[in-house]
Each structure stands twice: as structure tokens, then as C-alpha cells.
Amino acid sequence: QVQLQESGPGLVKPSETLSVTCGVSGYSITSGYFWGWVRQSPGKGLEWIANISHKGRTYYTPSLKSRLNLSFDTSKNAMSLRLSSVTAADTAIYYCARSGSSDWPDCFAMWGQGTMVTVSS
Amino acid sequence: DIHMTQSPSSLSASIGDRVTITCRASQSIATYLHWYQQHPGKAPKLLMSAASTLHTGVPSSFSGGGSGTDFTLTINNLRPEDFATYFCLQTFSTPWTFGQGTRVDI
């Protein structure tokens, strides 16, 4: 059974870099599918952040692109998100997710439980 | 960016009711439209993909339709566990964009 599990720092100071990891169990992350990140600010809606194909091709939302980096850590079978120069507006629950199709970014069919990251001094 | 507008933003219903939520795209997205359900404190769950394809394990009381710019999600015979917030998502083009959500209350 495939499972996704996010982990993060909980609290990040303004102007620093937010780093969140999505550990995957039950499937090799570089074998197939598209993987991505979505965030949800407190009491707000959902915002797509980025996708990465199993081959490492990335797709970033334009509003965050200059601050974003997605990568795989194959030794841990995990995906990492790094967001630099954070502000309070980056406070959110960060979810990782997997596509439904193994070779096309159709939609997010599988989600982790999310990790809350607060940006505050 | 493609803007997704859901309506209503919230609604009140009773057990056994039928409710319909709509999602409108700012431009044609064919059927690259998906519906999610989210309970408080939980991750979103996929209900429907490609506008009308029921995801594995989702009850047949849920149905979806539409293409182009206008889409609907219908829930028949509302059950207690259906009271949640529902979001649409377009994946026709990046950046993927979500609707603002529809909260279904008792």
C-alpha cells in the first residue's frame, strides 16, 4: 500500500528557507507518476505549488517559482520542497500528493496528511 | 492563469437531500476538471476525475458532469459523512488552480 508522509520544521523565521520532505512508502518514487505539492493557508483554500515527474522534470507555479526548488532524495525515497525568503504569507499546511496516472499529470489521486508550517519570528 | 469559480460558497442541507455544486472555468478546460472532498483537519480526497469518472471507492451517490467551462458535482441522498468542503481543480494548464471551495453544512 502506497503512503505519503510529510515532515517539516513546524516553525520557520521570516526570510529563512522552508524545507519540507515527503517520504513515500510502498512505491519507488522515481519509477513512475507525477508528484506534487499543494498548500492551504489557515482557513483558506487550496493552492497548487509544483509538480515533479518521476524523471525529475519540474513544473512550478509562477508566483513562487523564483523561490522554489523541488527535488528527489532517492536514498530516502522522498521528495523535498524548499521555499526561500519566506514571509508570513507562506504559513500553511503543506501537502504532498501523487498523480492518478503513472505517466501523465492528470490530477492528485493520493495525498499525504499534511504538515503545518508557521512563519514567525 | 485559469480562474475557477465555485458556487455556492456554502449551503445547508439535510440528511437524504440532493445537492449540486457548480464550478466554472474562466476558459475552456475540456474535461480536465476534478472534484475533491475535505473534512476539517484532513487532507483532500479525490472524488471524481476528468469531470465524471468516479474515483475508486467513492460511493455512487456522487456524480459529476460538464465540459468546457461549466461543471457540476451532485450528491444524492446526503449522508452524515458527506458534510464537508468540496473543491474543484483544473489541470488543463499550469498553474493548476482550485476553486475556492463549497462548504456543505447540516
Side-chain angles (χ1 to χ4, degrees), chain A residues 38 40 44-48 51 59-62 95 99 104-114, chain B residues 1 32 34 36 38 41-46 48-50 55 87 89 91 94-100:
Chain A
V38 172
Q40 186 169 34
K44 299 285 182 63
L46 298 162
E47 179 185 16
W48 174 75
N51 289 348
Y59 308 78
Y60 296 152
T61 192
Y95 295 102
S99 64
W104 179 255
D106 53 344
C107 65
F108 289 136
M110 186 177 296
W111 296 63
Q113 87 288 352
Chain B
D1 299 5
Y32 290 85
H34 321 283
Y36 292 84
Q38 186 179 35
K42 300 293 187 181
K45 286 178 49 180
L46 179 65
M48 199 84 55
S49 62
H55 187 56
F87 294 94
L89 165 67
T91 59
T94 57
W96 290 3
T97 44
F98 289 88
Q100 80 278 16

Side-chain angles (χ1 to χ4, degrees), chain B residues 68-83:
Chain B
T69 60
D70 294 308
F71 302 87
T72 59
L73 174 71
T74 298
I75 314 171
N76 289 297
N77 192 22
L78 266 173
R79 305 165 304 159
E81 57 266 38
D82 297 333
F83 292 93

Side-chain angles (χ1 to χ4, degrees), chain B residues 19-60:
Chain B
V19 300
T20 297
I21 299 167
T22 65
C23 189
R24 174 165 288 176
S26 60
Q27 66 184 74
S28 179
I29 56 171
T31 57
Y32 290 85
L33 188 284
H34 321 283
W35 290 99
Y36 292 84
Q37 176 192 66
Q38 186 179 35
H39 288 105
K42 300 293 187 181
K45 286 178 49 180
L46 179 65
L47 294 175
M48 199 84 55
S49 62
S52 61
T53 301
L54 209 59
H55 187 56
T56 305
V58 175
S60 57

Side-chain angles (χ1 to χ4, degrees), chain A residues 52-119:
Chain A
I52 182 169
S53 74
H54 67 279
K55 295 182 179 180
R57 181 176 179 181
T58 54
Y59 308 78
Y60 296 152
T61 192
S63 62
L64 299 175
K65 186 175 182 178
S66 64
R67 300 193 288 130
L68 259 180
N69 181 262
L70 255 65
S71 62
F72 289 132
D73 183 342
T74 53
S75 66
K76 297 179 180 178
N77 200 41
M79 169 178 64
S80 294
L81 176 150
R82 288 173 58 85
L83 183 65
S84 63
S85 305
V86 297
T87 69
D90 296 310
T91 294
I93 299 170
Y94 286 77
Y95 295 102
C96 64
R98 193 192 81 172
S99 64
S101 167
S102 61
D103 52 16
W104 179 255
D106 53 344
C107 65
F108 289 136
M110 186 177 296
W111 296 63
Q113 87 288 352
T115 187
M116 179 69 202
V117 179
T118 301
V119 179

